[in-house]
Amino acid sequence: IYNAVLHQYGNSYSKVIKDLLKKHLDSNDKVLVQIPPSNHSISNGKKNDLQMIYDSIGKDQNVDENGVVHIKQGKSVIKVIDLVTEKDRESRLNYLRSNHDNIDVVVGISMIKEGFDWPPANVGILIGAQGSLNAQIQLMGRMFRAYKNKGKNNGQKPVEIYQIYPYVDHEKLDEDQTRDQINTFMKVVYAALAMELVVNPIHIDLPIKSDDDTPNKPRTTVKNFLTEKLTD
């Protein structure tokens, strides 16, 4: 399930994040949150954005000896791994690798792409868009790792991705800024289309030549099949 969530440029997206985290953590989902880089137009600074994620879960926060942030949400304790802060990040990443199922939320900024692996993640909250279409697709692909908690049967979880994207009033921007915003939005659109084909691929079975082919019976070629058999 892919959801594009537009918000007014300049307004805080913390309310959207808080509502999404409440909804999915109440359902025991495993949530991967990608905050924007510090130089992104919608970034509030990585420390501020990270703290916003914590506060969106709950106000009672403490860190254990493994660097895991424990946040009380109602009667539950949500365990969060911070992959934004560089200090001791590798040790927290190693802990995550060994304790896949014990973590509820992972927050990252730029490293949650190639080489990162958290198979239980079934919900992605992506704030803004990546610098390239390839990076965008890699990031979305983090949620499609096969794991026991994902699927359609026996109470398993669907994969859901939320793309939080700023709606920009182009009249307030110059030509270059407008072009950048449109290009960024189109990366989101193209990535969504690519993911649709990954999840629901198109299969084409071409007929092969059989023994009953005769000179008077036209052979099916790839060109003929594509032009005659497929709909627009």
Side-chain angles (χ1 to χ4, degrees):
I1 302 173
Y2 180 83
N3 303 280
V5 183
L6 302 181
H7 72 86
Q8 183 61 43
Y9 183 76
N11 290 351
S12 172
Y13 40 80
S14 60
K15 176 67 165 57
V16 175
I17 301 297
K18 183 175 182 178
D19 291 344
L20 289 175
L21 287 172
K22 178 71 166 60
K23 170 187 174 182
H24 287 288
L25 293 176
D26 282 352
S27 300
N28 297 317
D29 289 321
K30 301 294 187 180
V31 184
L32 178 61
V33 182
Q34 173 85 4
I35 68 173
S38 299
N39 60 354
H40 198 290
S41 60
I42 62 172
S43 172
N44 296 307
K46 62 182 182 181
K47 290 184 178 179
N48 292 332
D49 280 335
L50 179 62
Q51 189 60 51
M52 180 269 291
I53 301 299
Y54 293 164
D55 293 341
S56 296
I57 298 173
K59 299 297 182 182
D60 188 359
Q61 307 164 9
N62 62 82
V63 183
D64 68 16
E65 66 277 7
N66 297 306
V68 179
V69 182
H70 295 245
I71 305 176
K72 191 171 183 180
Q73 185 185 69
K75 296 182 179 179
S76 303
V77 175
I78 305 301
K79 297 180 181 179
V80 183
I81 287 284
D82 160 26
L83 296 183
V84 175
T85 307
E86 293 182 8
K87 184 179 179 181
D88 299 325
R89 181 165 59 191
E90 192 62 32
S91 64
R92 294 190 297 276
L93 187 56
N94 288 334
Y95 181 85
L96 176 64
R97 293 182 180 124
S98 304
N99 297 272
H100 278 159
D101 298 315
N102 294 333
I103 300 300
D104 303 297
V105 178
V106 172
V107 187
I109 184 166
S110 60
M111 67 174 299
I112 304 182
K113 289 185 291 190
E114 196 171 3
F116 169 81
D117 193 31
W118 184 37
N122 69 294
V123 174
I125 300 176
L126 317 179
I127 304 172
Q130 294 297 297
S132 68
L133 177 61
N134 182 53
Q136 179 72 23
I137 293 174
Q138 282 185 357
L139 179 57
M140 295 170 69
R142 298 306 95 189
M143 270 63 71
F144 290 93
R145 293 287 190 266
Y147 203 65
K148 60 186 178 183
N149 65 324
K150 300 175 187 177
K152 297 181 179 180
N153 303 314
N154 303 320
Q156 293 174 310
K157 301 290 185 180
V159 172
E160 297 189 57
I161 298 174
Y162 297 87
Q163 188 84 47
I164 313 298
Y165 185 79
Y167 172 78
V168 181
D169 183 354
H170 70 276
E171 294 182 356
K172 298 179 181 179
L173 303 177
D174 61 30
E175 183 177 350
D176 289 339
Q177 290 172 320
T178 300
R179 184 183 298 109
D180 287 343
Q181 290 295 334
I182 293 173
N183 287 340
T184 301
F185 181 72
M186 291 309 298
K187 281 185 288 191
V188 173
V189 173
Y190 285 133
L193 293 173
M195 282 295 105
E196 181 180 0
L197 291 178
V198 169
V199 176
N200 187 26
I202 298 172
H203 294 281
I204 300 174
D205 295 321
L206 292 175
I208 61 174
K209 182 179 178 181
S210 62
D211 293 336
D212 63 353
D213 284 341
T214 63
N216 295 326
K217 183 178 179 181
R219 294 178 58 187
T220 300
T221 64
V222 173
K223 178 179 178 181
N224 290 340
F225 186 85
L226 293 177
T227 56
E228 298 172 7
K229 301 297 183 181
L230 293 184
T231 66
D232 291 340

